[in-house]
């Protein structure tokens, strides 16, 4: 796990997720259950594990295989969530996906966009990846605001993409490639240089997502 850095910007930091985070992680998940349930990935076969320690071990194993980077998210040094870089592919694709969650009391302090920017810059400039993707449910307004702030481009609607809160859910897909942010996602955002409207979802895409998918 020594290859996973600790990165800090102001009050917000991301660091390696460790087994000793089990208690804080379990407490955060229980305390914020109603806040997080609507965005929580579930198993379509009906069984979902709540083994927090086992989940951390699995993420660490994935990281040792070079397939992911699990971060704990902190605000003022306090554990407030997770950010996982997953599906890392090197070579001709050079890409990965970012997923995240934060506690309700951490919302509204720019925790998530700062954490996402730090992680994306690490993936671009240290890991040498070329493309980073984030997929968000159309109903998840706070997360849509994150990609809008950071200027992740809208790339399309993925129908019934991930099983969340008991059903297959549509997701909007957003991405950035390294060439778009030569001096970093964090710096571009902090300096107010995100192109206007780059992270916005087109009206026709919103209308399409509102249509009921035939079962």
């Amino acid at each position: 796990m020594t290859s996973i850095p600790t990165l800090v910007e102001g009050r917000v930091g991301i660091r390696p997720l460790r087994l000793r985070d089990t208690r804080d992680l379990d407490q955060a998940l229980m305390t914020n259950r109603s806040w997080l349930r609507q965005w929580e990935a579930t198993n379509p076969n009906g069984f979902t594990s709540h083994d927090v320690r086992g989940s951390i071990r699995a993420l660490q194993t994935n990281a040792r295989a070079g397939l992911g980077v699990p971060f704990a998210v902190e605000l003022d040094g306090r554990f407030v969530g997770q950010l996982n870089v997953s599906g890392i592919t090197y070579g001709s694709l050079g890409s990965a996906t970012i997923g995240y969650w934060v506690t309700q009391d951490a919302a509204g302090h720019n925790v998530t966009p700062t954490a996402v920017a730090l992680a994306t810059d690490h993936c671009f400039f240290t890991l040498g990846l070329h493309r980073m993707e984030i997929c968000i449910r159309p109903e998840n307004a706070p997360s849509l605001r994150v990609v809008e702030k950071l200027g992740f481009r809208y790339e399309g609607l993925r129908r019934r993409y991930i099983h969340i809160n008991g059903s297959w859910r549509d997701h909007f897909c957003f991405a950035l490639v390294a060439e778009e942010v030569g001096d970093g996602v964090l710096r571009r955002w902090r300096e107010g240089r995100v192109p206007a409207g780059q992270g916005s979802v087109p009206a026709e895409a919103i209308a399409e997502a509102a249509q009921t998918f035939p079962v």
Side-chain angles (χ1 to χ4, degrees), residues 12 73 83 100-102 106-107 109-117 142-143 146 150:
V12 180
V73 180
L83 184 149
Y100 49 80
W101 63 266
V102 297
H109 297 282
N110 274 331
V111 173
T112 305
T114 303
V116 170
S143 275
V146 169
L150 299 180

Side-chain angles (χ1 to χ4, degrees), residues 34-66:
S34 60
W35 163 259
L36 296 172
R37 182 184 291 114
Q38 59 187 323
W39 318 119
E40 185 178 55
T42 46
N43 189 329
N45 297 318
F47 174 76
T48 300
S49 173
H50 295 289
D51 179 6
V52 173
R53 190 174 182 84
S55 175
I56 294 175
R57 286 188 184 278
L59 289 169
Q60 291 178 336
T61 299
N62 204 45
R64 285 191 289 271

Side-chain angles (χ1 to χ4, degrees), residues 83-86 96-100 116 119-120 123 132-135 152:
L83 184 149
N84 293 319
V85 178
S86 62
T97 299
I98 289 180
Y100 49 80
V116 170
T120 303
C123 290
M132 298 300 294
E133 178 178 291
I134 297 177
C135 292
F152 275 72

